[in-house]
Amino acid sequence: MATIVDIATEKALEVKNFEFTYAGADEPNIKKLTMPIAKHSITALIGPSGCGKTTLLRSFNRMHDLYPGNKYDGEILFKEKNILGPKEDLIKLRTQIGMIFQKPTAFPMSIFDNVAYGLRLQGLKNKTELQDRVEKALQDAAIWQEAKERLRHDANGLSGGQQQRLCIARAIAVEPEVLLFDEPTSALDPISTAGIEELVVELRKRVSIIIVTHNMQQAARVSDYTGFMYLGELVELGRTEEIFVTPKERLTEEYITGKFG
Amino acid sequence: MTHTQKRIVTNKIIMVLSTLSAVIGIGFLLWILSVLVINGVDALSATIFLNEGAPPGNENGGLKHALIGQLLLVSYASLFGVPLGILAGTYLSEYGLKSKLAETIRDISDIMMSAPSIVIGAFVYAIVVAPSGQFSGWAGSIALMIIMLPIILRTTDDMLHLVPSTLREAAFALGAPKYKVIIQVVYRGAKAGVLTGVLLGVARVAGETAPLLFTSFNDNFLNTDMSQPMASLTVTMYNYATSPYEDWQKLGWAAAFILSMFILTLNILGRLFLLKKRGK
Amino acid sequence: MSNIIDKVFANAAKFIAIGVLLLVAWIFTVLFEHSLESIEAFGFSFLTETKWAPNLEKFGALPAIYGSVVSTFLAMILAVPLAIGVAIFLSEIAHAKIKTPVGVSIELLAAIPSVIYGMWGLFYFVPIIRDIFGGIGISMLTAGIVLSIMILPFMAAVTRDAMNTTPDILKESAYALGGTKWDVVKDIIIPYAKAGIIGSFILALGRAIGETMAVTFVMGNVHKISADLTQPATSIPVTLANEFAEADSGLYYSSLFELSLLLLVISFTIISIAKFYFLRRKRIGQ
Ligand SMILES: Nc1ncnc2c1ncn2[C@@H]1O[C@H](COP(=O)(O)OP(=O)(O)O)[C@@H](O)[C@H]1O
Ligand SMILES: [Mg+2]
């Protein structure tokens, strides 16, 4: 069984005996995973490549449903409700749990329309309100200064780091409760990376964050809690200082000291 | 209804419409295929392969003349079109590269691949049929060759381009002259792809009717002399199908069936070659 | 020795490649030369004259041009929505188990010779049109419909290919904001693949306008301009297919050559627009 620290605060999500099997896989890719996710905190998921971090992350917003044949078991509780049920309203779920991807994914439209996209999907038509919410989101994502002069320009004209912040603005514009980050800086240069990290820390005040990273320093820098996964299982979840200084599991220690990876 | 509910309903409607259009599209195509198979198989018999055309009303009419004519027309077209196309494609991929000349040839070939084939028939009529004073197998083969050329040229170009340049460099490093590198290394590496291109090119011209109408014309009897008008499956099919005679129409379906099976087989073979290559 | 072979090989290849260009130039030249008699006789009125009467040595191409335009237009308005529907189905709706077989079948159907579509049209579709609209069933409408069915597989396959170029991660980003499939198709996939999709449609248009056999069976080759789509009509390729082998005078031939040249120029232009404006060639691999 995994070693799991008590989460003092409220929980944003609770994973209980969760299993996930990709279409065609012989055995579950995630096995009997139990894990609380603290509210208004940053939880980092670390572990060697292929251990199931992305797979777990994409279960929180049911991204796997886009492809047929994938199978969930167990429970993921969000607002005291299991989101894995067949009747779950995925559209609503995805507006409440947002996601940022490995690479910037600016839509083929203007900067403004990118950020307004989620709002418009929800039916927001009022021009001034749209304007306000877009501006607010861009400010919160620390890209307003760079973007304000060219809101009507194609978003693909922005640099990689700017685009990633645009994607964050787009995600927070709809005011989600949880934000999922899947290695959001893996395609970025060090300076952009530092900017995104700062932003993530700042966002914690408003949303609960889960961030997958293959970069242990990044996990140490930004997160409050760190979960170490190995071969589809959670090995240890603890306060980040503890995980990196006094891990309870041998496997965790071996991983963070670089004995394998 | 909230905005999101509206979106969900719109989505459902569009998804149903899309699925419906797929069903309609595929329904039509299945209809055509089944018509082809039912009529074709019904008309198929040994006499078709053994006998030449016969006047309407004669039960013993066959398609031997058209089958052999078709074979000759396509074979001669391929005999010249394939090597010429491969050689020209080799120029583009190995010598011309991104030069202006090579790019122009690529562009023009791409356009020619979609250009109306009946116009090629008119051209060949002007340069072969009119001067020689008669329709001929040669004229038909030349028309088919012109249609085939850009297809083979472009696939060869693309397929050779896929061969990693490290392979070429390794051979050059051993001191091989360029033509040897091309023949022994590049062609070998691109074999499956080029073969696929050839099969698709042959399949494409085998189904051509329009450019044969006034080049090889037609003949209701067996003729293997390329300097004379010559029957083909496609033109025979056209003439028989538009005739008022039921037995001719039946033969038309048999010709349609045989031809389609031949072309589908070539296409499937071509795909299998490519798949096998990718599998490696 | 090697050196000489090397030069011979390289030059032979180049010679033939250039030969392809010369061939195309030759085609244009020959068609033009053979059109001269008709051009001199009718001038510009060839394109505007509605009377095509070989027995009177009067040749006006307008009915054929009109037929080409109308039948192609009909084919496009029928085939475009269907092709988009099929492409959406194949790229976004169909289960993987259906996607591949249906996709491959559609590609194979695109390889079936058009003469087969024409034959099917004549024997199975003409009677239906006759039953519904009366008349002989051989008509502009029939030609448009048969043509649309013939270009559908090609159009659907290339539209699907264009749609499939949209990166998954981009689509997922829209789903992650709560988008439905249709939202993703209209807001992400279509804008992203716009150039490719429009290019494929124009390419299909270029092919449809030069298509001969699918329409020759069912159009009637009647040189008359009629607003009634259920009347027989003709198009440039239909006229060529029906009359070329039978033409009996120099002017008649020349008029047919001018029609050929016209058709080649129209197709060349349309296909070039598709190629150069929308479908910039991307080399596969490397
Ligand atoms: N789409 C997929 N289909 C099948 N198996 C997959 C798929 N994506 C990932 N996997 C498998 O699931 C396991 C976990 O992958 P992933 O979650 O991507 O790991 P991580 O993000 O930790 O590197 C791996 O063994 C991987 O091979
Ligand atoms: Mg991952």
PDB file of all heavy atoms in Angstrom, chain C residues 252-282:
ATOM      1  N   TYR C 252     -15.812  21.371 -88.564  1.00  0.00           N
ATOM      2  CA  TYR C 252     -16.413  20.583 -87.491  1.00  0.00           C
ATOM      3  C   TYR C 252     -15.294  20.115 -86.555  1.00  0.00           C
ATOM      4  O   TYR C 252     -15.345  20.304 -85.335  1.00  0.00           O
ATOM      5  CB  TYR C 252     -17.158  19.395 -88.115  1.00  0.00           C
ATOM      6  CG  TYR C 252     -18.140  18.670 -87.206  1.00  0.00           C
ATOM      7  CD1 TYR C 252     -18.934  17.636 -87.725  1.00  0.00           C
ATOM      8  CD2 TYR C 252     -18.303  19.017 -85.857  1.00  0.00           C
ATOM      9  CE1 TYR C 252     -19.848  16.954 -86.925  1.00  0.00           C
ATOM     10  CE2 TYR C 252     -19.218  18.349 -85.056  1.00  0.00           C
ATOM     11  CZ  TYR C 252     -19.988  17.309 -85.586  1.00  0.00           C
ATOM     12  OH  TYR C 252     -20.870  16.629 -84.797  1.00  0.00           O
ATOM     13  N   TYR C 253     -14.252  19.496 -87.147  1.00  0.00           N
ATOM     14  CA  TYR C 253     -13.120  19.052 -86.340  1.00  0.00           C
ATOM     15  C   TYR C 253     -12.524  20.197 -85.551  1.00  0.00           C
ATOM     16  O   TYR C 253     -12.267  20.106 -84.356  1.00  0.00           O
ATOM     17  CB  TYR C 253     -12.025  18.446 -87.228  1.00  0.00           C
ATOM     18  CG  TYR C 253     -12.162  16.957 -87.369  1.00  0.00           C
ATOM     19  CD1 TYR C 253     -12.293  16.356 -88.607  1.00  0.00           C
ATOM     20  CD2 TYR C 253     -12.160  16.150 -86.226  1.00  0.00           C
ATOM     21  CE1 TYR C 253     -12.442  14.993 -88.741  1.00  0.00           C
ATOM     22  CE2 TYR C 253     -12.306  14.785 -86.344  1.00  0.00           C
ATOM     23  CZ  TYR C 253     -12.453  14.205 -87.603  1.00  0.00           C
ATOM     24  OH  TYR C 253     -12.594  12.873 -87.705  1.00  0.00           O
ATOM     25  N   SER C 254     -12.308  21.275 -86.265  1.00  0.00           N
ATOM     26  CA  SER C 254     -11.651  22.410 -85.636  1.00  0.00           C
ATOM     27  C   SER C 254     -12.475  22.919 -84.454  1.00  0.00           C
ATOM     28  O   SER C 254     -11.933  23.282 -83.399  1.00  0.00           O
ATOM     29  CB  SER C 254     -11.451  23.514 -86.669  1.00  0.00           C
ATOM     30  OG  SER C 254     -10.669  24.534 -86.115  1.00  0.00           O
ATOM     31  N   SER C 255     -13.790  22.917 -84.604  1.00  0.00           N
ATOM     32  CA  SER C 255     -14.642  23.359 -83.507  1.00  0.00           C
ATOM     33  C   SER C 255     -14.506  22.424 -82.311  1.00  0.00           C
ATOM     34  O   SER C 255     -14.484  22.857 -81.158  1.00  0.00           O
ATOM     35  CB  SER C 255     -16.100  23.397 -83.947  1.00  0.00           C
ATOM     36  OG  SER C 255     -16.242  24.261 -85.041  1.00  0.00           O
ATOM     37  N   LEU C 256     -14.418  21.127 -82.620  1.00  0.00           N
ATOM     38  CA  LEU C 256     -14.252  20.166 -81.520  1.00  0.00           C
ATOM     39  C   LEU C 256     -12.896  20.365 -80.846  1.00  0.00           C
ATOM     40  O   LEU C 256     -12.776  20.251 -79.624  1.00  0.00           O
ATOM     41  CB  LEU C 256     -14.388  18.736 -82.047  1.00  0.00           C
ATOM     42  CG  LEU C 256     -15.814  18.375 -82.485  1.00  0.00           C
ATOM     43  CD1 LEU C 256     -15.836  17.026 -83.197  1.00  0.00           C
ATOM     44  CD2 LEU C 256     -16.759  18.356 -81.291  1.00  0.00           C
ATOM     45  N   PHE C 257     -11.874  20.677 -81.650  1.00  0.00           N
ATOM     46  CA  PHE C 257     -10.565  20.947 -81.053  1.00  0.00           C
ATOM     47  C   PHE C 257     -10.623  22.203 -80.190  1.00  0.00           C
ATOM     48  O   PHE C 257     -10.015  22.266 -79.128  1.00  0.00           O
ATOM     49  CB  PHE C 257      -9.484  21.094 -82.135  1.00  0.00           C
ATOM     50  CG  PHE C 257      -8.907  19.774 -82.538  1.00  0.00           C
ATOM     51  CD1 PHE C 257      -9.132  19.235 -83.796  1.00  0.00           C
ATOM     52  CD2 PHE C 257      -8.126  19.048 -81.636  1.00  0.00           C
ATOM     53  CE1 PHE C 257      -8.602  18.010 -84.160  1.00  0.00           C
ATOM     54  CE2 PHE C 257      -7.591  17.826 -81.988  1.00  0.00           C
ATOM     55  CZ  PHE C 257      -7.831  17.301 -83.254  1.00  0.00           C
ATOM     56  N   GLU C 258     -11.381  23.173 -80.664  1.00  0.00           N
ATOM     57  CA  GLU C 258     -11.482  24.381 -79.844  1.00  0.00           C
ATOM     58  C   GLU C 258     -12.183  24.077 -78.521  1.00  0.00           C
ATOM     59  O   GLU C 258     -11.809  24.606 -77.474  1.00  0.00           O
ATOM     60  CB  GLU C 258     -12.210  25.507 -80.602  1.00  0.00           C
ATOM     61  CG  GLU C 258     -12.022  26.847 -79.914  1.00  0.00           C
ATOM     62  CD  GLU C 258     -12.633  28.025 -80.661  1.00  0.00           C
ATOM     63  OE1 GLU C 258     -13.010  27.873 -81.834  1.00  0.00           O
ATOM     64  OE2 GLU C 258     -12.721  29.105 -80.062  1.00  0.00           O
ATOM     65  N   LEU C 259     -13.182  23.206 -78.586  1.00  0.00           N
ATOM     66  CA  LEU C 259     -13.833  22.782 -77.343  1.00  0.00           C
ATOM     67  C   LEU C 259     -12.830  22.087 -76.424  1.00  0.00           C
ATOM     68  O   LEU C 259     -12.818  22.314 -75.212  1.00  0.00           O
ATOM     69  CB  LEU C 259     -14.980  21.817 -77.639  1.00  0.00           C
ATOM     70  CG  LEU C 259     -16.346  22.374 -78.017  1.00  0.00           C
ATOM     71  CD1 LEU C 259     -17.354  21.230 -78.126  1.00  0.00           C
ATOM     72  CD2 LEU C 259     -16.820  23.373 -76.981  1.00  0.00           C
ATOM     73  N   SER C 260     -11.996  21.221 -77.002  1.00  0.00           N
ATOM     74  CA  SER C 260     -10.990  20.519 -76.200  1.00  0.00           C
ATOM     75  C   SER C 260     -10.049  21.505 -75.536  1.00  0.00           C
ATOM     76  O   SER C 260      -9.735  21.389 -74.347  1.00  0.00           O
ATOM     77  CB  SER C 260     -10.150  19.568 -77.055  1.00  0.00           C
ATOM     78  OG  SER C 260     -10.965  18.761 -77.845  1.00  0.00           O
ATOM     79  N   LEU C 261      -9.606  22.456 -76.337  1.00  0.00           N
ATOM     80  CA  LEU C 261      -8.676  23.457 -75.804  1.00  0.00           C
ATOM     81  C   LEU C 261      -9.338  24.230 -74.666  1.00  0.00           C
ATOM     82  O   LEU C 261      -8.754  24.434 -73.598  1.00  0.00           O
ATOM     83  CB  LEU C 261      -8.265  24.418 -76.920  1.00  0.00           C
ATOM     84  CG  LEU C 261      -7.277  25.509 -76.510  1.00  0.00           C
ATOM     85  CD1 LEU C 261      -5.961  24.909 -76.065  1.00  0.00           C
ATOM     86  CD2 LEU C 261      -7.050  26.493 -77.666  1.00  0.00           C
ATOM     87  N   LEU C 262     -10.592  24.598 -74.905  1.00  0.00           N
ATOM     88  CA  LEU C 262     -11.344  25.329 -73.893  1.00  0.00           C
ATOM     89  C   LEU C 262     -11.421  24.517 -72.594  1.00  0.00           C
ATOM     90  O   LEU C 262     -11.165  25.021 -71.490  1.00  0.00           O
ATOM     91  CB  LEU C 262     -12.749  25.597 -74.445  1.00  0.00           C
ATOM     92  CG  LEU C 262     -13.658  26.510 -73.657  1.00  0.00           C
ATOM     93  CD1 LEU C 262     -13.068  27.904 -73.625  1.00  0.00           C
ATOM     94  CD2 LEU C 262     -15.044  26.548 -74.306  1.00  0.00           C
ATOM     95  N   LEU C 263     -11.745  23.250 -72.757  1.00  0.00           N
ATOM     96  CA  LEU C 263     -11.869  22.384 -71.585  1.00  0.00           C
ATOM     97  C   LEU C 263     -10.534  22.272 -70.853  1.00  0.00           C
ATOM     98  O   LEU C 263     -10.464  22.338 -69.624  1.00  0.00           O
ATOM     99  CB  LEU C 263     -12.347  20.994 -72.021  1.00  0.00           C
ATOM    100  CG  LEU C 263     -12.576  19.988 -70.900  1.00  0.00           C
ATOM    101  CD1 LEU C 263     -13.657  20.474 -69.947  1.00  0.00           C
ATOM    102  CD2 LEU C 263     -12.957  18.626 -71.463  1.00  0.00           C
ATOM    103  N   LEU C 264      -9.474  22.105 -71.636  1.00  0.00           N
ATOM    104  CA  LEU C 264      -8.150  21.969 -71.007  1.00  0.00           C
ATOM    105  C   LEU C 264      -7.783  23.247 -70.252  1.00  0.00           C
ATOM    106  O   LEU C 264      -7.296  23.193 -69.120  1.00  0.00           O
ATOM    107  CB  LEU C 264      -7.096  21.659 -72.072  1.00  0.00           C
ATOM    108  CG  LEU C 264      -5.692  21.390 -71.523  1.00  0.00           C
ATOM    109  CD1 LEU C 264      -5.699  20.196 -70.585  1.00  0.00           C
ATOM    110  CD2 LEU C 264      -4.687  21.159 -72.655  1.00  0.00           C
ATOM    111  N   VAL C 265      -8.054  24.379 -70.869  1.00  0.00           N
ATOM    112  CA  VAL C 265      -7.709  25.649 -70.215  1.00  0.00           C
ATOM    113  C   VAL C 265      -8.527  25.820 -68.929  1.00  0.00           C
ATOM    114  O   VAL C 265      -7.996  26.177 -67.876  1.00  0.00           O
ATOM    115  CB  VAL C 265      -7.944  26.843 -71.176  1.00  0.00           C
ATOM    116  CG1 VAL C 265      -7.842  28.161 -70.427  1.00  0.00           C
ATOM    117  CG2 VAL C 265      -6.936  26.794 -72.314  1.00  0.00           C
ATOM    118  N   ILE C 266      -9.820  25.507 -69.014  1.00  0.00           N
ATOM    119  CA  ILE C 266     -10.669  25.647 -67.814  1.00  0.00           C
ATOM    120  C   ILE C 266     -10.161  24.727 -66.704  1.00  0.00           C
ATOM    121  O   ILE C 266      -9.953  25.155 -65.561  1.00  0.00           O
ATOM    122  CB  ILE C 266     -12.141  25.318 -68.153  1.00  0.00           C
ATOM    123  CG1 ILE C 266     -12.710  26.346 -69.129  1.00  0.00           C
ATOM    124  CG2 ILE C 266     -12.979  25.285 -66.880  1.00  0.00           C
ATOM    125  CD1 ILE C 266     -14.094  25.980 -69.645  1.00  0.00           C
ATOM    126  N   SER C 267      -9.941  23.458 -67.031  1.00  0.00           N
ATOM    127  CA  SER C 267      -9.494  22.510 -65.991  1.00  0.00           C
ATOM    128  C   SER C 267      -8.150  22.927 -65.430  1.00  0.00           C
ATOM    129  O   SER C 267      -7.926  22.886 -64.223  1.00  0.00           O
ATOM    130  CB  SER C 267      -9.359  21.095 -66.538  1.00  0.00           C
ATOM    131  OG  SER C 267     -10.439  20.767 -67.319  1.00  0.00           O
ATOM    132  N   PHE C 268      -7.248  23.264 -66.331  1.00  0.00           N
ATOM    133  CA  PHE C 268      -5.902  23.662 -65.907  1.00  0.00           C
ATOM    134  C   PHE C 268      -5.989  24.815 -64.919  1.00  0.00           C
ATOM    135  O   PHE C 268      -5.322  24.823 -63.885  1.00  0.00           O
ATOM    136  CB  PHE C 268      -5.092  24.100 -67.135  1.00  0.00           C
ATOM    137  CG  PHE C 268      -3.733  23.479 -67.198  1.00  0.00           C
ATOM    138  CD1 PHE C 268      -3.559  22.194 -67.673  1.00  0.00           C
ATOM    139  CD2 PHE C 268      -2.616  24.190 -66.781  1.00  0.00           C
ATOM    140  CE1 PHE C 268      -2.301  21.620 -67.735  1.00  0.00           C
ATOM    141  CE2 PHE C 268      -1.355  23.623 -66.825  1.00  0.00           C
ATOM    142  CZ  PHE C 268      -1.194  22.335 -67.312  1.00  0.00           C
ATOM    143  N   THR C 269      -6.854  25.786 -65.250  1.00  0.00           N
ATOM    144  CA  THR C 269      -6.976  26.952 -64.371  1.00  0.00           C
ATOM    145  C   THR C 269      -7.527  26.538 -63.004  1.00  0.00           C
ATOM    146  O   THR C 269      -6.975  26.895 -61.963  1.00  0.00           O
ATOM    147  CB  THR C 269      -7.924  27.984 -65.011  1.00  0.00           C
ATOM    148  OG1 THR C 269      -7.509  28.180 -66.364  1.00  0.00           O
ATOM    149  CG2 THR C 269      -7.893  29.292 -64.264  1.00  0.00           C
ATOM    150  N   ILE C 270      -8.606  25.772 -63.026  1.00  0.00           N
ATOM    151  CA  ILE C 270      -9.230  25.397 -61.756  1.00  0.00           C
ATOM    152  C   ILE C 270      -8.262  24.570 -60.908  1.00  0.00           C
ATOM    153  O   ILE C 270      -8.078  24.817 -59.713  1.00  0.00           O
ATOM    154  CB  ILE C 270     -10.526  24.606 -62.007  1.00  0.00           C
ATOM    155  CG1 ILE C 270     -11.548  25.507 -62.698  1.00  0.00           C
ATOM    156  CG2 ILE C 270     -11.088  24.066 -60.706  1.00  0.00           C
ATOM    157  CD1 ILE C 270     -12.817  24.798 -63.094  1.00  0.00           C
ATOM    158  N   ILE C 271      -7.622  23.594 -61.544  1.00  0.00           N
ATOM    159  CA  ILE C 271      -6.722  22.734 -60.781  1.00  0.00           C
ATOM    160  C   ILE C 271      -5.528  23.533 -60.259  1.00  0.00           C
ATOM    161  O   ILE C 271      -5.076  23.331 -59.127  1.00  0.00           O
ATOM    162  CB  ILE C 271      -6.263  21.542 -61.642  1.00  0.00           C
ATOM    163  CG1 ILE C 271      -7.477  20.707 -62.061  1.00  0.00           C
ATOM    164  CG2 ILE C 271      -5.288  20.663 -60.876  1.00  0.00           C
ATOM    165  CD1 ILE C 271      -7.224  19.775 -63.210  1.00  0.00           C
ATOM    166  N   SER C 272      -5.055  24.473 -61.077  1.00  0.00           N
ATOM    167  CA  SER C 272      -3.932  25.301 -60.614  1.00  0.00           C
ATOM    168  C   SER C 272      -4.326  26.128 -59.402  1.00  0.00           C
ATOM    169  O   SER C 272      -3.555  26.268 -58.458  1.00  0.00           O
ATOM    170  CB  SER C 272      -3.468  26.260 -61.709  1.00  0.00           C
ATOM    171  OG  SER C 272      -3.157  25.552 -62.863  1.00  0.00           O
ATOM    172  N   ILE C 273      -5.540  26.664 -59.430  1.00  0.00           N
ATOM    173  CA  ILE C 273      -5.987  27.454 -58.276  1.00  0.00           C
ATOM    174  C   ILE C 273      -5.972  26.562 -57.035  1.00  0.00           C
ATOM    175  O   ILE C 273      -5.456  26.938 -55.982  1.00  0.00           O
ATOM    176  CB  ILE C 273      -7.399  28.029 -58.527  1.00  0.00           C
ATOM    177  CG1 ILE C 273      -7.328  29.085 -59.622  1.00  0.00           C
ATOM    178  CG2 ILE C 273      -7.966  28.616 -57.241  1.00  0.00           C
ATOM    179  CD1 ILE C 273      -8.686  29.597 -60.080  1.00  0.00           C
ATOM    180  N   ALA C 274      -6.530  25.360 -57.187  1.00  0.00           N
ATOM    181  CA  ALA C 274      -6.557  24.443 -56.038  1.00  0.00           C
ATOM    182  C   ALA C 274      -5.144  24.163 -55.556  1.00  0.00           C
ATOM    183  O   ALA C 274      -4.840  24.234 -54.368  1.00  0.00           O
ATOM    184  CB  ALA C 274      -7.256  23.142 -56.426  1.00  0.00           C
ATOM    185  N   LYS C 275      -4.259  23.862 -56.493  1.00  0.00           N
ATOM    186  CA  LYS C 275      -2.902  23.452 -56.125  1.00  0.00           C
ATOM    187  C   LYS C 275      -2.090  24.590 -55.535  1.00  0.00           C
ATOM    188  O   LYS C 275      -1.469  24.458 -54.494  1.00  0.00           O
ATOM    189  CB  LYS C 275      -2.157  22.944 -57.365  1.00  0.00           C
ATOM    190  CG  LYS C 275      -2.625  21.620 -57.851  1.00  0.00           C
ATOM    191  CD  LYS C 275      -1.908  20.508 -57.108  1.00  0.00           C
ATOM    192  CE  LYS C 275      -2.565  19.193 -57.460  1.00  0.00           C
ATOM    193  NZ  LYS C 275      -2.311  18.157 -56.475  1.00  0.00           N
ATOM    194  N   PHE C 276      -2.078  25.690 -56.234  1.00  0.00           N
ATOM    195  CA  PHE C 276      -1.143  26.742 -55.830  1.00  0.00           C
ATOM    196  C   PHE C 276      -1.696  27.606 -54.717  1.00  0.00           C
ATOM    197  O   PHE C 276      -0.963  28.098 -53.882  1.00  0.00           O
ATOM    198  CB  PHE C 276      -0.766  27.610 -57.029  1.00  0.00           C
ATOM    199  CG  PHE C 276      -0.068  26.822 -58.092  1.00  0.00           C
ATOM    200  CD1 PHE C 276      -0.390  26.971 -59.419  1.00  0.00           C
ATOM    201  CD2 PHE C 276       0.909  25.899 -57.730  1.00  0.00           C
ATOM    202  CE1 PHE C 276       0.250  26.215 -60.395  1.00  0.00           C
ATOM    203  CE2 PHE C 276       1.548  25.154 -58.694  1.00  0.00           C
ATOM    204  CZ  PHE C 276       1.221  25.308 -60.028  1.00  0.00           C
ATOM    205  N   TYR C 277      -3.003  27.781 -54.736  1.00  0.00           N
ATOM    206  CA  TYR C 277      -3.553  28.695 -53.753  1.00  0.00           C
ATOM    207  C   TYR C 277      -3.892  27.972 -52.460  1.00  0.00           C
ATOM    208  O   TYR C 277      -3.682  28.500 -51.376  1.00  0.00           O
ATOM    209  CB  TYR C 277      -4.781  29.389 -54.333  1.00  0.00           C
ATOM    210  CG  TYR C 277      -5.112  30.655 -53.599  1.00  0.00           C
ATOM    211  CD1 TYR C 277      -4.294  31.775 -53.739  1.00  0.00           C
ATOM    212  CD2 TYR C 277      -6.203  30.726 -52.733  1.00  0.00           C
ATOM    213  CE1 TYR C 277      -4.568  32.934 -53.039  1.00  0.00           C
ATOM    214  CE2 TYR C 277      -6.486  31.886 -52.037  1.00  0.00           C
ATOM    215  CZ  TYR C 277      -5.663  32.986 -52.195  1.00  0.00           C
ATOM    216  OH  TYR C 277      -5.926  34.125 -51.497  1.00  0.00           O
ATOM    217  N   PHE C 278      -4.394  26.772 -52.553  1.00  0.00           N
ATOM    218  CA  PHE C 278      -4.876  26.108 -51.340  1.00  0.00           C
ATOM    219  C   PHE C 278      -4.033  24.920 -50.900  1.00  0.00           C
ATOM    220  O   PHE C 278      -3.906  24.653 -49.720  1.00  0.00           O
ATOM    221  CB  PHE C 278      -6.324  25.657 -51.533  1.00  0.00           C
ATOM    222  CG  PHE C 278      -7.273  26.787 -51.701  1.00  0.00           C
ATOM    223  CD1 PHE C 278      -7.740  27.138 -52.946  1.00  0.00           C
ATOM    224  CD2 PHE C 278      -7.689  27.519 -50.607  1.00  0.00           C
ATOM    225  CE1 PHE C 278      -8.619  28.196 -53.106  1.00  0.00           C
ATOM    226  CE2 PHE C 278      -8.557  28.583 -50.749  1.00  0.00           C
ATOM    227  CZ  PHE C 278      -9.026  28.920 -52.002  1.00  0.00           C
ATOM    228  N   LEU C 279      -3.524  24.176 -51.864  1.00  0.00           N
ATOM    229  CA  LEU C 279      -2.848  22.940 -51.479  1.00  0.00           C
ATOM    230  C   LEU C 279      -1.371  23.041 -51.790  1.00  0.00           C
ATOM    231  O   LEU C 279      -0.898  22.383 -52.695  1.00  0.00           O
ATOM    232  CB  LEU C 279      -3.438  21.740 -52.243  1.00  0.00           C
ATOM    233  CG  LEU C 279      -4.935  21.526 -52.184  1.00  0.00           C
ATOM    234  CD1 LEU C 279      -5.347  20.495 -53.215  1.00  0.00           C
ATOM    235  CD2 LEU C 279      -5.334  21.051 -50.806  1.00  0.00           C
ATOM    236  N   ARG C 280      -0.665  23.861 -51.057  1.00  0.00           N
ATOM    237  CA  ARG C 280       0.765  23.905 -51.316  1.00  0.00           C
ATOM    238  C   ARG C 280       1.335  22.525 -51.056  1.00  0.00           C
ATOM    239  O   ARG C 280       1.029  21.876 -50.065  1.00  0.00           O
ATOM    240  CB  ARG C 280       1.446  24.947 -50.437  1.00  0.00           C
ATOM    241  CG  ARG C 280       1.731  26.217 -51.227  1.00  0.00           C
ATOM    242  CD  ARG C 280       1.904  27.392 -50.311  1.00  0.00           C
ATOM    243  NE  ARG C 280       0.627  27.831 -49.773  1.00  0.00           N
ATOM    244  CZ  ARG C 280       0.385  27.964 -48.472  1.00  0.00           C
ATOM    245  NH1 ARG C 280       1.305  27.696 -47.594  1.00  0.00           N
ATOM    246  NH2 ARG C 280      -0.799  28.361 -48.057  1.00  0.00           N
ATOM    247  N   ARG C 281       2.142  22.055 -51.977  1.00  0.00           N
ATOM    248  CA  ARG C 281       2.624  20.677 -51.877  1.00  0.00           C
ATOM    249  C   ARG C 281       3.517  20.500 -50.657  1.00  0.00           C
ATOM    250  O   ARG C 281       4.425  21.261 -50.407  1.00  0.00           O
ATOM    251  CB  ARG C 281       3.399  20.304 -53.133  1.00  0.00           C
ATOM    252  CG  ARG C 281       3.796  18.831 -53.173  1.00  0.00           C
ATOM    253  CD  ARG C 281       4.549  18.463 -54.426  1.00  0.00           C
ATOM    254  NE  ARG C 281       5.540  19.450 -54.767  1.00  0.00           N
ATOM    255  CZ  ARG C 281       5.489  20.206 -55.846  1.00  0.00           C
ATOM    256  NH1 ARG C 281       4.505  20.084 -56.676  1.00  0.00           N
ATOM    257  NH2 ARG C 281       6.443  21.065 -56.089  1.00  0.00           N
ATOM    258  N   LYS C 282       3.170  19.461 -49.908  1.00  0.00           N
ATOM    259  CA  LYS C 282       4.040  19.135 -48.786  1.00  0.00           C
ATOM    260  C   LYS C 282       4.717  17.822 -49.113  1.00  0.00           C
ATOM    261  O   LYS C 282       4.070  16.856 -49.499  1.00  0.00           O
ATOM    262  CB  LYS C 282       3.222  18.978 -47.500  1.00  0.00           C
ATOM    263  CG  LYS C 282       2.967  20.318 -46.844  1.00  0.00           C
ATOM    264  CD  LYS C 282       2.018  20.124 -45.685  1.00  0.00           C
ATOM    265  CE  LYS C 282       0.753  20.908 -45.921  1.00  0.00           C
ATOM    266  NZ  LYS C 282      -0.477  20.263 -45.677  1.00  0.00           N
TER     267      LYS C 282
END
